[in-house]
Structures are given as structure tokens and as C-alpha cells.
């Protein structure tokens, strides 16, 4: 491994209205290393990735590749330098096949009026997929039929399908099972051995310690430190650099609901719920003041559960709110009955990226903010300001585009939008995906407070600590149905995984 960086940011500054996203940042990445970049939401990581992707340009400073200053005015220019970026929010084409998605970058690099036979394309795509262990996925499969975890691996396959010198992975493990994660780590190590530079952006500090050769910490748009990974580098030390103070486990996870928490009457009843090919015969209830977690492996059916209940996916069986049965395929009826959904994919299904903080906050309850066909903008601003204060969202102004916020603050504004409708039931799918430890603790505290006010909360998550520590009851799905439910001291990682993998039928009974 050479000491000279293959890629370097030198004294880079990038500002947005009212925000210094990167402040005189210098960092170098060596060939053939795994270099992790960590920090809380808003630290500047996303801005750095967008600069490398050609989506943004630095106000000051320079980007050097092989020691030469380079302008990166576009995504194509970035790719021509051998840089490939896999963002957390997927950028795949749902109307194309798996193989077509994998080879999209190859099509962009081909000269005009050139041809690529379907057989050659399918063979090339299959070879790339095999490197990621996706041998059970046909290249002709429509992408829209895959789980979020499988789509994330397809996104990575597309990135490595062409010549790559620098691979940037943004929260690549956020929706993967342990087995898929292990395969991903193997691929990272293989690419490293081949001389590829891996820039690994993640909030999962344990995996950072397991993979990275060096770790850089950003805070408030500044580069705090770069550490050689070794025995003296611990999770506690990294967290202290990230937040500027020591944060212990008790502070992070002091929110576990007590088993004797006051639970009211059932408000949501799901009976024999089915979604063709995804869920069969799922039955459970959700009561006032209750936080119920839903866990399971990616192919268990949990990832479509929220859409099915809310009316976004075709379903059989019955969904009742307050004893009133909701028709399938009608989200408007779910909203009218007092249900609110916070989706897993902030970019595709959550945030209205081209709109402002205020517009996003009130968009699900526009009738409350209109008079004779005109928006009551003062009421919009007052309501938004109230929720920004309650949820402690960090925004430069209410007119700021939500696309420019950090992931954690985007999530808070999406949560505000759900709360503006005055729901009785709040369904959250991956509520803290890609969010740092500080923002997670804030959101957990908000959920606990909402439950204390009588809101019924269903939290569907791929992160076991999230459901173990913040739900009073955990529903575990496996093989497209509910394998069992756990409460109190029975909520352990071993018990959840036993149900999720169907290793212990006695628990399911």
C-alpha cells in the first residue's frame, strides 16, 4: 500500500444558504485501503460524497486524483476518473430487469449506435451478480420484485460492473441480513486486495472497526481526526470524537419501555393478512400507548407489511381501525381513520425533495391549511415552526429545501408530516435507517413521549437493537408469516433469531 493518496480533498469548503456543509476539509485516501468516514448527520459526509459524484462543486479548495487537481463537473466525469458511488438511497430503475440495472453504467460508456447482444449482456450481469453471491437471482427478473436488501446488492453490483478505482459505499449494510452482510464484507476485502480504494461511510461503528484500515471522523462540517485502526480504537472513542463528548450505552439506550407500561384499548386489528408472494395469514393487534416492534430477515415478509396495512400493496384479510374495516388499495381511507405511515425509503417514498421544510410538513393535511383554494401560508409556517421546535430539527429556515438537510433531520420532518395529520396509529418502517447515534436517541425519545400520550406505534426494523430496546412487544416474521411474539424479558437477540430462522418451533407456539 503506497502512502501517497490516490484521491485527496485539500482545504475544501462548501456552503449552502445559512449552512457551512464543509469547512476547510482535507483528507486523503490511499490505493488499496478501506477508509471509513464517520460522523453524525450533518457532519458533512453527504456533501463530500456529492462532490466526488460531480453533483456539487467546491466553493474553495481542490480535489486531486493521482496528485493532479481535477474538476468533476458531472457524474460521467466522476465515472471516467474511476470513481463509483453507491448511495444509501437506491437509484435503480424499477421498470427494468436486474441485468439491465447492473449494466446501466456500461450502456452509458458505450459509443453511440453500438450494439450489445442480450446474451452477452445477461452473461456479464450474471458474472457480476455472482461476485456478490446473488446466484439465485435471474438477470431477467424484474427489479421491482426484489426485496430492499437484494436491490441494495444489485446497486453495488452495478457499481463494480465497470472499471473501478475508488468505490464509495454509503451505509451499504443498512438493509442486509447477517448472511448478506458477510458476503458484502467479503466483496469489500476482495476489491481491496485488487487495489481498489474503498471509502466506507457508515453509522455502524462495529462494522467500521471490523473492516477499516483507517477511520476519519467529521463533525459540524470539519475534519476532526484520522485514526489508524488498531486495538486502541474503540466504539466509545469514535463516538466521543463524533459528538465531542463521551456518550455511554446507558445514555444511548435508556428508553426501553417497561413491561407494565399503561396500554389502552386495541386500535388496530390485523386478521389473516395476506399479500400474494409476500405475506400469508398474519394476525395481530396494536393498542393505544404501545410500541410494537416487527423483526425478521429480509425475505420474511416484514418489508411489505407497512404498505399492506396502509393500503399501498394489494392485500387479502382484514385491517380494522377502531372496529371499522378499511378497504384495500385505499390509503386515503387509512389516513382518514387516523393512520400515518413513515416509509423506509426517504428519497423515493418519504421526502418531497424539491419542496421546502414547510411544504413537506403540511403536505399530508393540506385541507387544514387552505381557504377557498388558497394556502394559508402563515398557518403553515406557524405549524411547521412548532413541529421543528418539538422535534428539535436543525434547519436553516422553514423555506430550506428538504433535500439539503441531513438524513436525521429529513426523518424528523417526515415524522412531523405524519404527526400533523393527528394520527391514532403511527407506522414506521426503518425509522432510523442511516441515522447517527445522536439523532437515533432523539427519535427514540420522541416515540416514547408519543406513546405516553396514547399513540399506538408499529415499528418495523432490520436493526435488532432497535426493536429489542425500544419496543414493549416484538412480532417476529419468518417464511412470510408471523412466527411468534415476544414480550418483557423474553425479548432477546437469541429468541428473535430463533423465531426468524424457525430454529425453535416451541417459541412460535
Amino acid at each position: 500500500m503506497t502512502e501517497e493518496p490516490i484521491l485527496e480533498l485539500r482545504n475544501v469548503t462548501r456552503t449552502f444558504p445559512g449552512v457551512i456543509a464543509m469547512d476547510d476539509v482535507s483528507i486523503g485516501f490511499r490505493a488499496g485501503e478501506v477508509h471509513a468516514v464517520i460522523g453524525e448527520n450533518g457532519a458533512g459526509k453527504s456533501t463530500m460524497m456529492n462532490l466526488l459524484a460531480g453533483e456539487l462543486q467546491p466553493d474553495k479548495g481542490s480535489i486531486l486524483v493521482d496528485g493532479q487537481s481535477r474538476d468533476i463537473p458531472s457524474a460521467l466525469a466522476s465515472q471516467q476518473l474511476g470513481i463509483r458511488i453507491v448511495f444509501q438511497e437506491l437509484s435503480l430503475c424499477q421498470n427494468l430487469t436486474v441485468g439491465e440495472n447492473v449494466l446501466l453504467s456500461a450502456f452509458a460508456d458505450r459509443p453511440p449506435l453500438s450494439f450489445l447482444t442480450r446474451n452477452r449482456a445477461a452473461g456479464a450481469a450474471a458474472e457480476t451478480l455472482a461476485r456478490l453471491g446473488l446466484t439465485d437471482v435471474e438477470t431477467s427478473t424484474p427489479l421491482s420484485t426484489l426485496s430492499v436488501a437484494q436491490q441494495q446488492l444489485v446497486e453495488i453490483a452495478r457499481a463494480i460492473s465497470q472499471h473501478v478505482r475508488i468505490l464509495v459505499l454509503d451505509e451499504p449494510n443498512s438493509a442486509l441480513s447477517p448472511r448478506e452482510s458477510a458476503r458484502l464484507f467479503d466483496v469489500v476485502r476482495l476489491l481491496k486486495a485488487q487495489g481498489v480504494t474503498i471509502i466506507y461511510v457508515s453509522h455502524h461503528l462495529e462494522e467500521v472497526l471490523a473492516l477499516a484500515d483507517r477511520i476519519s471522523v467529521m463533525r459540524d462540517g470539519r475534519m476532526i481526526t484520522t485514526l489508524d485502526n488498531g486495538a486502541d480504537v474503540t466504539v466509545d472513542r469514535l463516538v466521543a470524537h463524533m459528538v465531542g463528548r463521551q456518550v455511554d450505552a446507558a445514555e444511548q439506550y435508556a428508553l426501553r419501555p417497561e413491561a407494565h407500561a399503561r396500554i389502552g384499548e386495541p386500535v388496530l386489528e390485523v386478521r389473516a393478512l395476506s399479500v400474494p408472494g409476500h405475506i400469508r395469514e398474519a394476525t395481530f393487534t396494536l393498542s393505544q400507548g404501545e410500541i410494537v416492534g416487527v423483526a425478521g430477515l429480509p425475505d420474511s415478509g416484514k418489508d411489505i407489511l407497512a404498505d399492506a396495512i396502509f393500503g399501498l400493496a394489494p392485500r387479502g384479510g382484514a385491517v380494522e381501525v377502531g372496529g371499522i374495516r378499511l378497504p384495500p388499495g385505499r390509503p386515503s381511507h387509512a389516513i382518514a381513520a387516523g393512520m400515518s405511515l413513515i416509509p423506509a425509503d426517504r428519497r423515493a417514498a418519504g421526502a418531497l425533495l424539491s419542496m421546502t421544510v414547510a411544504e413537506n410538513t403540511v403536505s399530508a393535511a393540506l385541507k387544514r391549511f387552505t381557504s377557498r383554494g388558497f394556502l394559508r401560508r402563515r398557518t403553515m409556517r406557524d405549524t411547521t415552526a412548532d413541529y421543528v421546535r418539538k422535534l428539535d430539527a436543525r434547519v436553516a429556515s422553514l423555506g430550506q429545501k428538504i433535500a439539503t438537510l441531513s438524513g436525521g433531520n429529513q426523518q424528523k420532518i417526515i415524522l412531523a408530516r405524519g404527526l400533523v395529520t393527528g394520527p391514532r396509529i403511527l407506522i414506521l418502517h426503518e425509522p432510523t435507517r442511516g441515522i447517527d447515534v445522536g439523532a437515533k436517541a432523539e427519535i427514540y425519545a420522541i416515540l416514547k413521549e408519543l406513546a405516553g400520550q396514547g399513540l399506538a406505534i408499529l415499528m418495523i426494523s432490520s436493526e435488532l437493537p432497535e426493536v429489542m430496546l425500544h419496543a414493549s412487544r416484538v412480532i417476529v416474521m419468518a417464511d412470510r408469516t408471523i412466527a411468534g411474539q415476544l414480550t418483557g424479558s423474553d425479548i432477546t437477540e437469541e429468541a428473535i433469531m430463533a423465531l426468524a430462522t424457525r430454529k425453535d418451533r416451541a417459541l412460535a407456539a
Side-chain angles (χ1 to χ4, degrees):
M1 181 187 299
T2 62
E3 292 299 321
E4 291 299 318
I6 184 176
L7 171 68
E8 184 179 2
L9 278 68
R10 188 176 292 175
N11 304 116
V12 169
T13 295
R14 171 68 198 199
T15 61
F16 297 100
V19 177
I20 301 176
M22 291 184 69
D23 187 1
D24 196 34
V25 169
S26 295
I27 181 173
F29 304 96
R30 302 167 183 163
E33 74 167 345
V34 179
H35 192 138
V37 179
I38 64 173
E40 293 190 280
N41 288 101
K45 307 185 303 298
S46 296
T47 301
M48 182 191 73
M49 288 186 288
N50 283 318
L51 289 170
L52 296 178
E55 296 293 330
L56 296 173
Q57 304 302 314
D59 297 327
K60 297 179 182 178
S62 55
I63 299 174
L64 290 78
V65 179
D66 296 323
Q68 299 294 316
S69 180
R70 300 280 189 170
D71 291 328
I72 309 180
S74 66
L76 182 58
S78 175
Q79 292 178 16
Q80 289 172 340
L81 291 170
I83 301 171
R84 296 290 189 274
I85 302 182
V86 178
F87 288 102
Q88 177 192 354
E89 309 296 347
L90 304 181
S91 59
L92 300 170
C93 298
Q94 298 291 325
N95 60 323
L96 299 181
T97 67
V98 169
E100 289 166 342
N101 271 280
V102 169
L103 294 179
L104 276 177
S105 296
F107 295 149
D109 287 340
R110 293 183 68 82
L113 301 179
S114 62
F115 295 93
L116 182 65
T117 66
R118 289 186 179 274
N119 286 341
R120 285 183 61 192
E127 181 180 346
T128 303
L129 290 170
R131 294 174 66 185
L132 291 173
L134 284 177
T135 54
D136 57 337
V137 176
E138 296 291 335
T139 58
S140 59
T141 301
L143 183 86
S144 58
T145 64
L146 300 187
S147 68
V148 173
Q150 290 173 315
Q151 289 189 30
Q152 194 154 23
L153 290 175
V154 171
E155 182 92 69
I156 295 170
R158 183 173 72 180
I160 67 173
S161 65
Q162 296 296 295
H163 172 65
V164 56
R165 302 179 68 205
I166 302 158
L167 178 63
V168 184
L169 298 176
D170 177 23
E171 298 289 347
N173 195 29
S174 60
L176 303 185
S177 70
R179 183 175 60 184
E180 290 164 332
S181 295
R183 181 55 185 163
L184 170 65
F185 298 163
D186 287 342
V187 170
V188 168
R189 294 183 181 107
L190 174 63
L191 292 171
K192 171 188 169 181
Q194 295 172 354
V196 176
T197 299
I198 310 292
I199 302 175
Y200 200 89
V201 181
S202 178
H203 290 117
H204 295 275
L205 301 184
E206 291 84 359
E207 72 186 41
V208 164
L209 291 174
L211 278 175
D213 299 300
R214 292 193 298 156
I215 304 168
S216 290
V217 184
M218 298 185 71
R219 184 172 74 240
D220 297 331
R222 296 184 176 90
M223 184 58 61
I224 301 302
T225 187
T226 295
L227 304 169
D228 290 321
N229 194 4
D232 61 331
V233 181
T234 64
V235 168
D236 288 343
R237 184 180 176 189
L238 294 178
V239 170
H241 282 303
M242 287 169 58
V243 302
R245 60 187 177 86
Q246 293 290 337
V247 179
D248 59 25
E251 180 181 348
Q252 295 177 36
Y253 301 117
L255 302 169
R256 173 75 181 268
E258 298 296 333
H260 59 271
R262 186 174 64 186
I263 305 299
E265 295 296 318
V267 290
L268 174 66
E269 295 188 55
V270 176
R271 295 196 303 274
L273 179 72
S274 63
V275 177
H278 296 281
I279 299 176
R280 52 187 178 84
E281 301 291 318
T283 298
F284 65 92
T285 62
L286 179 67
S287 298
Q288 292 176 325
E290 188 177 29
I291 300 178
V292 172
V294 180
L297 299 178
D299 59 354
S300 64
K302 72 174 176 61
D303 289 321
I304 202 170
L305 181 64
D307 287 353
I309 294 171
F310 199 67
L312 291 171
R315 70 170 187 241
V319 174
E320 294 184 0
V321 175
I324 299 174
R325 185 164 179 166
L326 303 181
R330 302 293 294 274
S332 60
H333 285 245
I335 295 171
M339 192 183 298
S340 184
L341 170 65
I342 310 299
D345 191 337
R346 286 193 296 270
R347 178 175 293 273
L352 303 171
L353 295 173
S354 63
M355 295 187 178
T356 67
V357 169
E359 290 165 343
N360 270 271
T361 301
V362 305
S363 60
L366 283 178
K367 286 185 178 180
R368 285 181 49 194
F369 301 95
T370 56
S371 177
R372 298 180 181 180
F374 293 93
L375 286 172
R376 299 159 56 201
R377 294 195 176 273
R378 177 174 293 180
T379 306
M380 283 176 53
R381 288 194 298 270
D382 291 346
T383 300
T384 301
D386 186 39
Y387 277 98
V388 165
R389 187 187 71 256
K390 287 179 180 177
L391 302 182
D392 194 23
R394 281 78 163 189
V395 302
S397 71
L398 303 184
Q400 183 179 0
K401 295 290 178 64
I402 194 172
T404 64
L405 299 181
S406 68
N409 287 310
Q410 284 185 9
Q411 193 75 342
K412 289 180 181 180
I413 298 304
I414 296 169
L415 178 57
R417 182 176 65 204
L419 297 177
V420 164
T421 64
R424 305 166 63 190
I425 302 161
L426 182 62
I427 302 175
L428 304 113
H429 188 189
E430 306 293 356
T432 63
R433 182 184 177 197
I435 293 177
D436 64 75
V437 64
K440 281 185 177 184
E442 292 172 352
I443 288 177
Y444 296 145
I446 290 166
L447 296 181
K448 183 180 179 182
E449 181 179 353
L450 292 171
Q453 297 169 0
L455 192 63
I457 298 174
L458 186 69
M459 183 171 62
I460 304 165
S461 177
S462 299
E463 297 189 27
L464 285 187
E466 190 158 73
V467 294
M468 288 169 53
L469 296 166
H470 305 294
S472 55
R473 177 162 56 99
V474 177
I475 296 169
V476 184
M477 297 192 68
D479 192 24
R480 298 181 296 144
T481 192
I482 292 177
Q485 301 188 38
L486 302 166
T487 59
S489 60
D490 291 333
I491 302 176
T492 65
E493 183 173 355
E494 292 77 14
I496 292 173
M497 290 307 298
L499 287 170
T501 57
R502 293 279 185 162
K503 288 181 180 177
D504 192 342
R505 291 283 183 166
L507 281 173

